[in-house]
Amino acid sequence: MFDKFGEFNSSAEINELAENLFNEGDMESIKVMAKENGIQDEVVEMYLQGEVPALCDTVTAAVGKIEAEAEELKPQEILEDWVQYIIGQCIKDELMAAYVRKKGKSLKGCIAALLTWSFKNCYEIDKDIIAETGILSGKIPMPKDGKGSSRQAITMGIPGMGRAKKIIREYYMGGEKK
């Protein structure tokens, strides 16, 4: 990721390099740089044909970064949902998009923040729900009163959509909505 051109801090930096490369006639490097930054081929072609004045804007630079990082990470299930939450927040809020594009912030770091919250906020799942699964998860130590259980306590701590979006915003922007 960011192997040839490094990580950019903003759409302005991407566009500045794209313009310089264009002026030098180095169309191939524009394509490589765009691919590293998740900018779609169709947009690159439009830029090279002069149909758009810039290679990207703040939102497309942020979404491209997230999509490029996701391509490398290959998230599944809830992690995939979290990626979509980030993209959605970038589309809704250009300031958020600018923060997502910043150097040093990454999808890995954001997912780590979400998982940290998850591990710190686990709660026990009701034993009747566990029984409904029909899956024995192991044995837990015998309680002091002498009555044991054939099922282990199961916990989970996945944040709901609202909480996840708050954690995402805090990771990228350093706090509540600005």
Side-chain angles (χ1 to χ4, degrees):
M1 172 128 233
F2 308 129
D3 296 327
K4 184 170 181 178
F5 292 96
E7 184 177 7
F8 291 94
N9 203 44
S10 67
S11 60
E13 287 183 2
I14 293 170
N15 288 323
E16 180 181 349
L17 178 59
E19 184 177 347
N20 291 339
L21 292 169
F22 186 86
N23 291 338
E24 293 171 8
D26 192 351
M27 306 311 159
E28 201 53 44
S29 288
I30 293 172
K31 291 176 182 179
V32 171
M33 186 260 296
K35 182 159 183 64
E36 280 186 4
N37 286 278
I39 299 168
Q40 297 175 350
D41 293 340
E42 299 81 22
V43 174
V44 175
E45 287 307 316
M46 290 170 57
Y47 177 74
L48 295 175
Q49 299 302 316
E51 296 173 26
V52 292
L55 186 58
C56 62
D57 61 16
T58 303
V59 173
T60 55
V63 171
K65 178 180 180 181
I66 295 301
E67 288 177 346
E69 291 175 314
E71 179 71 26
E72 194 173 272
L73 286 176
K74 303 198 183 325
Q76 297 177 29
E77 302 297 333
I78 191 66
L79 301 184
E80 205 170 22
D81 291 346
W82 291 344
V83 169
Q84 291 307 310
Y85 296 168
I86 298 166
I87 290 172
Q89 286 184 283
C90 288
I91 291 169
K92 277 179 41 182
D93 183 351
E94 192 171 335
L95 182 59
M96 174 70 174
Y99 274 89
V100 165
R101 185 70 239 191
K102 295 278 185 201
K103 286 182 184 177
K105 294 294 183 177
S106 68
L107 182 57
K108 285 180 186 178
C110 187
I111 289 174
L114 288 155
L115 288 174
T116 298
W117 184 94
S118 296
F119 293 136
K120 288 181 177 179
N121 292 280
C122 287
Y123 55 90
E124 191 171 325
I125 304 300
D126 183 272
K127 63 180 175 40
D128 293 333
I129 294 172
I130 302 301
E132 283 291 316
T133 69
I135 299 169
L136 291 176
S137 60
K139 299 205 180 246
I140 58 174
M142 196 71 94
K144 290 182 181 177
D145 64 5
K147 296 180 182 170
S149 169
S150 63
R151 297 189 190 279
Q152 183 175 349
I154 303 294
T155 62
M156 63 184 284
I158 300 170
M161 186 187 315
R163 172 79 65 190
K165 288 179 178 180
K166 182 179 178 190
I167 295 165
I168 290 165
R169 178 170 291 282
E170 288 172 354
Y171 170 76
Y172 283 108
M173 298 180 79
E176 296 294 319
K177 188 169 184 167
K178 295 185 181 203

